[in-house]
């Protein structure tokens, strides 16, 4: 929600997900069943999420009570996910201290391994992707291996397998599979079958999000190449996303490997601020001309049964 955030408690604005392919006029007309609707606008560039703004808060609450996680007959039996929303201009954030150690943050399941690969290994991984075609998004470029991530749906199409990982990844996969934190889980056999390579130009970050529960299972592994950045973690109230949330930040050095498992993967949003400089331990750290991340995931082939139902689209 570029102009809005999810809210705890009723407001006159609703965040409505799963609207891909439905005209804004149709959304507005459908929700007018509950009372005067002032506007229906895209929540972000995905065209799958809409902000519906009512004249009265009570009408918004009635619409949410009736249609949240229900099939909406007025919109072709589309199953909607609806939360209250609040304009972002009412949210005032202050800088959060940046840690250089994942342990200091105290987020269960979060690990950071610095200097995970050598400079020579980094150079080869960059050369390999630069020799392959990139897909251009609005502010960054991506490549997909194994399965393509569908940004509009925030999921993958498991019927469209792109093929096995290329051979150049094997040394990295073997190195990751030997990580002690993963040896203690069922992921020791290295089941990762989806890789997204992101290239971020200087100053470009990533909006707060949790990787879709129904799309991926288990730990998410991300390797930082070509430059560092700060990643922020946000834990919202159990009732939804609001102007009030817990924030922690971690510096990700070049060639470091980030592991998100358990609570850190399923219960915390992660976010890369859109900065050209990051303040770390009192020092201004410039972003490089680009940062490239290799993010490995395991595609899920059944519903998620995690303990974080408030963030789980399967539950």
């Amino acid at each position: 929600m570029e102009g809005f955030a999810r809210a705890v408690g009723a407001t006159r604005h609703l965040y409505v997900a799963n609207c891909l392919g439905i005209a804004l006029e149709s959304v507005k007309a459908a929700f007018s069943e509950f009372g005067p609707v002032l506007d229906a606008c895209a929540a972000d560039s995905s065209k799958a999420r809409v902000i519906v703004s009512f004249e009265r808060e009570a009408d918004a609450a009635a619409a949410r009570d009736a249609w949240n996680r229900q099939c909406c007959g007025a919109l072709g039996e589309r199953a909607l996910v609806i939360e209250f929303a609040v304009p972002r201009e009412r949210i005032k954030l202050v800088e959060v201290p940046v840690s250089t150690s994942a342990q200091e943050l105290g987020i269960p399941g979060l690990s950071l391994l610095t200097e995970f690969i050598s400079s020579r290994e980094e150079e080869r991984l960059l050369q390999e992707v630069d020799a392959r075609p990139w897909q251009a998004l609005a502010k960054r470029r991506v490549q997909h291996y194994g399965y393509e991530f569908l940004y509009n749906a925030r999921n993958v199409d498991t019927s469209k397998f792109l093929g096995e990982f290329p051979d150049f990844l094997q040394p990295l996969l073997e190195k990751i599979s030997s990580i002690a934190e993963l040896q203690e889980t069922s992921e020791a056999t290295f089941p990762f079958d989806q890789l997204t390579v992101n290239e971020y130009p200087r100053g470009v970050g990533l909006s707060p999000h949790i990787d879709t529960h129904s799309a991926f299972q288990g730990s998410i592994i991300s390797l930082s190449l070509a430059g560092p950045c700060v990643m922020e973690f946000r834990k919202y109230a159990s009732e939804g996303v609001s102007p009030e949330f817990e924030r922690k930040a971690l510096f990700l050095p070049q060639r470091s490997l980030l592991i998100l498992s358990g609570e850190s993967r399923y219960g915390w949003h992660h976010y890369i601020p859109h900065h050209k400089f990051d303040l770390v331990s009192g020092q201004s750290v410039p972003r490089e001309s680009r940062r490239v991340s290799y993010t490995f995931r395991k595609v899920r082939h059944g519903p998620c049964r995690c303990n974080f139902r408030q963030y789980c689209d399967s539950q």
Side-chain angles (χ1 to χ4, degrees):
M1 291 181 282
E2 295 177 352
F4 288 78
R6 293 176 199 166
V8 173
T11 73
R12 62 184 183 86
H13 307 285
L14 295 179
Y15 164 78
V16 185
N18 199 24
C19 295
L20 187 63
I22 302 177
L24 292 174
E25 294 79 6
S26 299
V27 174
K28 183 176 181 180
F31 277 86
S32 295
E33 171 185 330
F34 298 93
V37 174
L38 300 179
D39 192 23
C41 62
D44 51 40
S45 60
S46 73
K47 300 181 181 179
R49 293 170 283 275
V50 175
I51 297 296
V52 178
S53 297
F54 283 85
E55 185 176 300
R56 296 184 295 265
E57 182 180 294
D59 296 336
R64 181 181 182 278
D65 289 344
W67 286 351
N68 183 34
R69 301 186 183 276
Q70 301 295 323
C71 293
C72 174
L75 294 174
E77 299 299 326
R78 187 71 62 92
L80 304 177
V81 177
I82 305 174
E83 299 290 348
F84 292 112
V86 61
R88 284 192 185 277
E89 55 264 29
R90 289 168 53 184
I91 303 174
K92 298 185 181 298
L93 297 180
V94 297
E95 289 295 326
V96 60
V98 177
S99 176
T100 57
S101 166
Q103 286 73 21
E104 291 177 2
L105 298 186
I107 300 176
L110 181 67
S111 298
L112 179 69
L113 307 178
T114 58
E115 292 295 335
F116 184 72
I117 61 171
S118 68
S119 298
R120 180 172 296 182
E121 290 170 319
E122 175 187 36
E123 182 179 358
R124 180 166 182 259
L125 290 171
L126 291 171
Q127 288 174 345
E128 290 288 353
V129 292
D130 284 336
R132 290 167 167 78
W134 291 91
Q135 174 189 348
L137 300 182
K139 295 183 179 180
R140 67 185 194 274
R141 300 194 300 175
V142 299
Q143 294 181 21
H144 296 108
Y145 298 91
Y147 294 89
E148 180 179 5
F149 184 74
L150 305 175
Y151 292 94
N152 285 345
R154 298 199 64 78
N155 212 317
V156 296
D157 184 347
T158 56
S159 69
K160 296 181 179 179
F161 182 55
L162 301 178
E164 301 295 335
F165 287 153
D167 291 342
F168 80 86
L169 290 172
Q170 290 310 307
L172 177 60
L173 299 180
E174 292 173 6
K175 198 167 190 175
I176 291 175
S177 66
S178 66
I179 296 174
E181 287 86 347
L182 296 181
Q183 290 290 337
E184 299 173 357
T185 73
S186 59
E187 294 157 23
T189 55
F190 197 77
F192 301 110
D193 55 10
Q194 196 277 334
L195 167 64
T196 297
V197 181
N198 284 284
E199 181 194 58
Y200 301 90
R202 188 180 184 209
V204 172
L206 193 63
S207 298
H209 71 284
I210 295 176
D211 285 50
T212 312
H213 289 205
S214 64
F216 305 111
Q217 68 182 61
S219 298
I220 294 173
I221 309 290
S222 187
L223 178 66
S224 294
L225 305 174
C229 75
V230 164
M231 180 172 284
E232 184 176 306
F233 299 89
R234 297 180 175 184
K235 187 174 185 181
Y236 294 88
S238 59
E239 294 84 356
V241 180
S242 75
E244 303 297 329
F245 50 85
E246 186 177 358
R247 300 170 63 210
K248 299 185 179 185
L250 180 64
F251 180 62
L252 307 182
Q254 188 173 343
R255 296 187 296 278
S256 65
L257 188 81
L258 182 71
I259 302 174
L260 300 176
S261 62
E263 182 177 322
S264 69
R265 180 266 183 270
Y266 289 110
W268 288 73
H269 288 66
H270 55 278
Y271 159 58
I272 300 175
H274 300 266
H275 292 166
K276 291 186 176 180
F277 294 85
D278 292 306
L279 188 63
V280 182
S281 301
Q283 300 293 319
S284 180
V285 180
R287 301 261 181 102
E288 298 295 334
S289 59
R290 70 168 182 165
R291 173 180 172 269
V292 175
S293 66
Y294 275 51
T295 302
F296 291 95
R297 306 177 180 93
K298 167 64 178 175
V299 172
R300 187 185 296 280
H301 294 277
C304 179
R305 303 299 185 194
C306 71
N307 295 323
F308 303 91
R309 296 174 62 91
Q310 65 268 38
Y311 310 116
C312 185
D313 59 315
S314 287
Q315 302 178 71

